[in-house]
Amino acid sequence: MDGNGRWASQRGWPRLVGHRRGAERVRQIVRACPDLGVRWLTVYAFSTENWKRSTEEVLGLMSIFSRYIQREAGRLSEEGVRVRFIGERSRLDQKLQRLMAGIEASTAGNDRLNLTVAINYGGRDEILRAVRALAAQGGDLAALSDGEMAAALDTHALPDPDLVIRTSGETRVSNFLLWQAAYAEYEFTPTLWPDFTPEELARILDRFAGRERRFGAVI
């Protein structure tokens, strides 16, 4: 969900205004997904590299995350949305961690849309944590299988992504779902995240539906 800060800066506003507008856009996209046939949605909210930003921006983002969970928990549950989080949680504020655990528990029985939020997430960090956990369990890493590796990742309960969308005109993967997206299709749009509408999502999904996916085979 890239481009929040630039969206605000283009208007002469503080970057956090863009992040707040970006959170509002999440609400709209989440609400639109079931009608578009999307049952699994993962949004990249905060990366392991985002700690390099100013203290003001980081604290502001954490506050936005907390307010979003508190404000949206009831509505998400009513609309059948199950919420999960991926990423390394120990560095996050204790209050935020409690809110995350709470909404995960309260929405665990929902299945209309599976919403996963990546907070303090990085693909390399996830893989390292998984390998270290397997080593600590005494597993034979020399014989490690794809299935065993996948089961140790943060996303062990999720399907691999079919489509990854990157907003704001950037054309890099930025450490997102490195293992899981091995055969995902990619879309790069110049639209800044606060301007990314359900209508644009629908157009991207239409293009995706027309792609031929071979997964390494010859058809």
Side-chain angles (χ1 to χ4, degrees):
M1 302 184 293
D2 200 20
N4 294 331
R6 272 170 284 171
W7 183 91
S9 297
Q10 288 173 3
R11 290 158 176 78
W13 298 336
R15 289 176 58 85
L16 284 174
V17 173
H19 292 305
R20 286 193 287 270
R21 187 62 64 89
E24 295 172 8
R25 186 61 71 186
V26 172
R27 182 189 304 116
Q28 296 174 10
I29 295 298
V30 167
R31 180 167 288 173
C33 276
D35 290 337
L36 293 172
V38 176
R39 292 193 59 237
W40 298 86
L41 173 68
T42 300
V43 295
Y44 202 1
F46 190 88
S47 76
T48 49
E49 289 72 42
N50 286 157
W51 295 104
K52 300 172 185 176
R53 298 185 179 186
S54 70
T55 300
E56 178 186 12
E57 184 169 355
V58 170
L59 291 176
L61 281 165
M62 296 302 163
S63 177
I64 290 170
F65 298 153
S66 294
R67 288 201 303 271
Y68 182 87
I69 293 172
Q70 291 172 303
R71 186 180 65 218
E72 297 295 317
R75 184 189 64 79
L76 290 169
S77 187
E78 290 173 1
E79 295 184 1
V81 179
R82 179 172 185 173
V83 181
R84 296 179 176 89
F85 296 91
I86 57 173
E88 208 289 301
R89 301 190 189 192
S90 64
R91 192 173 177 181
L92 301 175
D93 177 81
Q94 289 293 319
K95 176 185 176 183
L96 177 56
Q97 290 187 51
R98 289 193 296 272
L99 288 170
M100 292 163 61
I103 195 171
E104 284 181 321
S106 67
T107 63
N110 298 336
D111 63 1
R112 184 166 180 255
L113 174 68
N114 292 272
L115 171 63
T116 303
V117 183
I119 296 183
N120 195 27
Y121 174 85
R124 288 182 174 182
D125 175 74
E126 177 189 32
I127 291 169
L128 282 172
R129 285 188 285 107
V131 171
R132 288 166 180 162
L134 289 167
Q137 294 165 12
D140 181 4
L141 298 185
L144 184 63
S145 69
D146 279 9
E148 290 169 329
M149 183 67 189
L153 297 172
D154 295 353
T155 55
H156 58 85
L158 313 178
D160 286 345
D162 294 303
L163 173 65
V164 178
I165 302 169
R166 175 72 185 261
T167 59
S168 86
E170 304 292 350
T171 53
R172 56 182 181 271
V173 299
S174 291
N175 205 13
F176 183 59
L177 299 179
L178 298 180
W179 174 278
Q180 300 87 339
Y183 283 100
E185 299 289 317
Y186 278 79
E187 277 273 351
F188 300 98
T189 172
T191 305
L192 303 178
W193 174 252
D195 293 327
F196 186 81
T197 63
E199 291 74 21
E200 181 168 3
L201 175 59
R203 290 193 294 271
I204 289 174
L205 291 173
D206 283 343
R207 289 198 295 271
F208 167 76
R211 295 189 184 186
E212 183 181 279
R213 304 180 71 198
R214 296 186 295 274
F215 300 97
V218 177
I219 298 177

